[in-house]
Amino acid sequence: MELHSLKYEQDERLMRCFGNLDKAKSEVEFAHKKVRYFKDSLNLNNEFSNSAGLNSVPISDKSVYRKNFPAGILSEGSSLKDPYVSRLQSSGTSGERLVSVIHSFKLAERMANCLSINPAFQYLSKVPRIKTCRYAAPNCSDVECANPRSTMQDRILADGTLVLPVYHDLLTTPDSMLRMAFDELHSYEPDLWYVDPMHLSILIKKAKSEGWAFDLDRKFSVLLTYTFATRALLRQISELCAGHAPVASVMAMSEFGFVGLGCEHGNLHLNDKDYFLEFIQMEGTHPDDNLWELVITSIGDRLCPHIRYQTNDIYHLHGACDCGNSMPRVSFLGRSKDLLRLPSGKYITPGSLDEVVGAPKWIDIYQLTEQEVGAYIFRFTGNKDCFSDAEKSQLRQKLQALLETENVRVDDVNYFPFERGGKFQLIRKS
Amino acid sequence: MKASEMGITEKLSSYCQDILEFEVDTDISLVSQGVTSMKLMQLVGKIYEEFNVIVDITDLMEDVSVRTLATLLCSETSTDHDIEQQSAIETPLNEIQRTFWDMQEYSECKKAYNEGVSHLVCGDLDLDLCKQVLIRLVERQPELRTAYYVSEAKPVQRVLEMADVQDKLNIEFADFSGESEPMQAVEQAHRALYATEFDLSQPPNFRVAMWRVGPKKWVVSWVVFHIVTDWWAVDILRKEAALIYSALIKQDGREAKLSTVTPINYNIDCYGERERDEAFWQSRFEAAPAEVDLSTSRRPPIKSYKGDVHLFELTQISYADLNHVRETLSVTMSSFVFSAFNILTSAMSDETDITTGVPFLNRYQPEVQNAVGIFVNSLPIRIGVDKNSHVNDFVLSCHKELLLAYKHGRYPARSILSFQNIKTKLSRSPLYEQLFTYYDNTIVESEYAEFGITVKEIEIPRGTCKYDIAFFVTKQGNALHTKIEYTKALFSEDDITNMVNAYQEILVRIRESQAQPVGDLISDIRAQYFLNNVDEIEHSQSPALSVAE
Ligand SMILES: [Zn+2]
């Protein structure tokens, strides 16, 4: 629920807040009392108790949690050896890699509250023990999924999640490894496919061309995460799953677990029950740009509370959703550093780009690269049989309008470079 | 089951209700009742939130029941906590304490709220050691040396230093072993003990008496004004006394290993979600409850607290019998026997709007699990008896109402008295005049072989009664027993025997069929047992009934 009284300004930037402020304040007080880093750094003065929000509390970030791990950020009396302490590792290069610790029961609670956003996923709460298959870039998990000789047993995590084998460079994954992933996805009989949409689309495409048939009679659900689910990817996934398995995008962060889920209308809602959500107008933007940076305060985390944690993620905020869910409806646009800014000051977000590209049959995967300011290459792969020059030049015109320049190349390619760690960037700066 | 676990079980069941959205059987594995691991994790999270205790069920996922959770939780919560120096602080009484504070206005009532327990102790009891045990207990348990008084026009409490009370701690001793009927002498002394009017500002607000009734045979009685503690403490004190006594008798210089007890902060987080709870109780008492009269005798214009007590075994029915029925209806035993009690009261009073007091343990904070203190909140459970409903549905509706009330059980019953339509009278309590309680195996019989002592809890009449009727059902092995405390102005001993027989008949009839309309059962029971009473004056004889015990 949005706190209307809390639309205030932080450093002259607008701010909108969702969630239970009292609980957020107790979280801050708890951290101040029980967590060494916050004990030393927070000063809870009258301003804190009197203010309508958390404005007087400084914003924290990844570096706080990395530098003070573990003793400085764990609450007094708790330890990494306690029961239910799960460790989640962020992807990213080793220098900025972050280990987060969360009570697994908090993860369960957050997951349950997120699943409640979409009725099609409700049945999962009745599954005795949800079996998950994860299919995503290798860095996303702490098992050796990139080792082609690893066995299924090697890749089953403590919570029963099977991590499917993947190759560092998705598009050059050897056939044998794709087959292995396909087979395991069936033999493990997961209730949940927790996948990178790009990875799934590659597997779907391979299965189609080789004539491998997915078993769609078993009840399962698909949650898409890790990379931006473009309309083109969604088209391929829904061709497979429509009528068989519910598909939704999930917003998850290694620091928190589940943060939000796409509702039955395909709109992302963020969980404001387990988190206090502050959206701060992105620096240097106009309110009309509707670009908001998310800052999260955990609720009821007595192991490692996150206080006004800067996610660096940028969102659009939308009004109420037809689905009726009162959790805030947003679109995820990407990391703030990945946003492209045109000379005019306009921001190009994955969302705005994807709206222009749409989901024509001849595009399966695409990527926009900024070669230099004002010069762009749009690369795509897809079904060459559906391809038409007219459509291609139409797309080029739309991209020119979006990017405010004539200098846009549209290339049909067979390969895309992936970042280190196997991540795919929809918009790259070269 | 330990008393402390009962409260936690109650609470856990209500979490299960919230999270799992169905009623669970507390003794059966949650997983086998269809609870998913995600829900189980949410339950662990909820327990952590409420009790600040992580119950580790990783190794017993498949086997964990509400009962095992409660046991784990109790063993966790009994670890040491920091002592915060609070003893010098004067704090206001909370709503629950105020209930008992207010009783000082009427001494008969105040005396009726003396609580306690008696034991028959056989063996070589060392009286000097007993005195030392008492001192240690009072040292440990701040509530036992708390003074209650008025400060700046408000009732407050303050924990006194040990030095301020030590001289007043003693065990009252009498030797009745020479009497021809020593137990009669004990009864008399016991009544006198319960007639004590404590000066709450001068602790201790309890007395301990030891009466010798034979060679190596003692009756030990403890009486305490209710503001100090609820009956939960009996279990705590009994356990601690045994440990301290045992440590002292070994004389190896080692102290009994006991957790630290912190002075209770009665004014922190006592009432849960007050607004939500208040809304619930408002909805139940929008209209004043009907006055339920279980007796046909004229009610004295001023409520009488003179009472007596009777014990019966229900010989026509066993625990296993009822447990089977309860399982088919998927309700708890306490809900089951409570619904039968509602049928009984409806049959006795010819009333369909029945409000009954049911004690709710209300011990939430983990640090008070081992503390003497007052938390119990007797909830007015209002049942509308729909005579057309069938017994099984009626039982289920009673069960649901109980669970709902427990969910909102932190709301102090005293606050309900100030609701708009609730009127006070001198002749009766405003919400209910009958109290119902069900216990599992509470009668204690322990043997301490190492020092040759056996201890057995015994029931001795107090001469008082808080309500028209306080009806206790207890499970002892496979047998069910009842204990009835009753107001002598309203009931004769025969009336009570008749009432228990009717109750037993109701249980038998429900065991035989749960499909009959409640109304039929009520009319049958009324005709068979209670219409006679109306004619009693003419016939001037009570129905001949066989009495167990
Ligand atoms: Zn929606």
Side-chain angles (χ1 to χ4, degrees), chain A residues 117 263-267 269 321-325 329:
Chain A
I117 292 168
C263 70
E264 64 213 278
H265 295 283
N267 297 321
H269 292 257
C321 180
D322 289 340
C323 74
N325 195 301
R329 175 189 158 197

Short mmCIF file of all heavy atoms in Angstrom, two decimals, chain A residues 117 263-267 269 321-325 329, ligand 1:
data_model
loop_
_atom_site.label_atom_id
_atom_site.label_comp_id
_atom_site.label_asym_id
_atom_site.label_seq_id
_atom_site.Cartn_x
_atom_site.Cartn_y
_atom_site.Cartn_z
N ILE A 117 0.81 -12.90 -5.21
CA ILE A 117 0.48 -11.86 -6.19
C ILE A 117 -0.22 -12.45 -7.41
O ILE A 117 -1.07 -11.82 -8.02
CB ILE A 117 1.78 -11.11 -6.61
CG1 ILE A 117 2.32 -10.30 -5.44
CG2 ILE A 117 1.53 -10.22 -7.83
CD1 ILE A 117 3.72 -9.76 -5.63
N CYS A 263 1.97 -10.34 -12.09
CA CYS A 263 0.63 -10.79 -11.76
C CYS A 263 -0.02 -11.43 -12.98
O CYS A 263 0.60 -11.59 -14.02
CB CYS A 263 -0.22 -9.62 -11.27
SG CYS A 263 -0.62 -8.44 -12.57
N GLU A 264 -1.30 -11.78 -12.85
CA GLU A 264 -1.99 -12.45 -13.95
C GLU A 264 -2.08 -11.57 -15.21
O GLU A 264 -2.29 -12.07 -16.30
CB GLU A 264 -3.38 -12.88 -13.48
CG GLU A 264 -4.28 -11.71 -13.12
CD GLU A 264 -5.25 -12.02 -11.98
OE1 GLU A 264 -6.30 -12.61 -12.26
OE2 GLU A 264 -4.93 -11.68 -10.83
N HIS A 265 -1.90 -10.25 -15.03
CA HIS A 265 -1.91 -9.36 -16.20
C HIS A 265 -0.50 -9.11 -16.72
O HIS A 265 -0.30 -8.24 -17.57
CB HIS A 265 -2.56 -8.03 -15.85
CG HIS A 265 -4.02 -8.16 -15.51
ND1 HIS A 265 -4.99 -8.32 -16.47
CD2 HIS A 265 -4.67 -8.21 -14.32
CE1 HIS A 265 -6.17 -8.45 -15.89
NE2 HIS A 265 -6.01 -8.39 -14.57
N GLY A 266 0.46 -9.82 -16.19
CA GLY A 266 1.83 -9.67 -16.66
C GLY A 266 2.54 -8.45 -16.11
O GLY A 266 3.61 -8.08 -16.58
N ASN A 267 1.92 -7.80 -15.11
CA ASN A 267 2.57 -6.62 -14.54
C ASN A 267 3.32 -7.00 -13.27
O ASN A 267 2.81 -7.73 -12.43
CB ASN A 267 1.52 -5.56 -14.20
CG ASN A 267 0.81 -5.07 -15.44
OD1 ASN A 267 1.44 -4.90 -16.49
ND2 ASN A 267 -0.50 -4.86 -15.36
N HIS A 269 4.60 -6.69 -9.63
CA HIS A 269 4.26 -6.04 -8.36
C HIS A 269 5.38 -6.36 -7.38
O HIS A 269 5.83 -7.50 -7.31
CB HIS A 269 2.96 -6.60 -7.79
CG HIS A 269 1.74 -6.26 -8.59
ND1 HIS A 269 0.85 -5.27 -8.22
CD2 HIS A 269 1.27 -6.78 -9.75
CE1 HIS A 269 -0.13 -5.21 -9.12
NE2 HIS A 269 0.10 -6.12 -10.06
N CYS A 321 -3.32 -1.64 -10.60
CA CYS A 321 -3.36 -2.68 -11.64
C CYS A 321 -4.76 -3.29 -11.66
O CYS A 321 -5.42 -3.39 -10.63
CB CYS A 321 -2.32 -3.73 -11.32
SG CYS A 321 -2.24 -5.08 -12.51
N ASP A 322 -5.17 -3.73 -12.84
CA ASP A 322 -6.50 -4.35 -12.97
C ASP A 322 -6.64 -5.63 -12.16
O ASP A 322 -7.74 -6.07 -11.87
CB ASP A 322 -6.78 -4.68 -14.44
CG ASP A 322 -7.01 -3.41 -15.24
OD1 ASP A 322 -7.32 -2.37 -14.60
OD2 ASP A 322 -6.88 -3.46 -16.48
N CYS A 323 -5.50 -6.22 -11.81
CA CYS A 323 -5.58 -7.48 -11.06
C CYS A 323 -6.09 -7.23 -9.64
O CYS A 323 -6.48 -8.16 -8.95
CB CYS A 323 -4.23 -8.17 -11.00
SG CYS A 323 -3.05 -7.38 -9.89
N GLY A 324 -6.03 -5.96 -9.19
CA GLY A 324 -6.58 -5.64 -7.88
C GLY A 324 -5.58 -5.78 -6.75
O GLY A 324 -5.88 -5.42 -5.61
N ASN A 325 -4.40 -6.28 -7.02
CA ASN A 325 -3.41 -6.42 -5.96
C ASN A 325 -2.92 -5.03 -5.53
O ASN A 325 -2.64 -4.18 -6.36
CB ASN A 325 -2.24 -7.26 -6.45
CG ASN A 325 -1.37 -7.74 -5.31
OD1 ASN A 325 -0.83 -6.94 -4.55
ND2 ASN A 325 -1.28 -9.04 -5.14
N ARG A 329 2.65 -1.59 -8.40
CA ARG A 329 2.87 -2.11 -9.74
C ARG A 329 4.00 -1.30 -10.37
O ARG A 329 3.97 -0.08 -10.39
CB ARG A 329 1.59 -1.95 -10.54
CG ARG A 329 1.72 -2.35 -11.99
CD ARG A 329 0.46 -1.94 -12.74
NE ARG A 329 0.77 -1.83 -14.16
CZ ARG A 329 -0.01 -1.19 -15.02
NH1 ARG A 329 -1.10 -0.57 -14.63
NH2 ARG A 329 0.35 -1.15 -16.29
ZN ZN C 1 -1.36 -6.74 -11.40
#
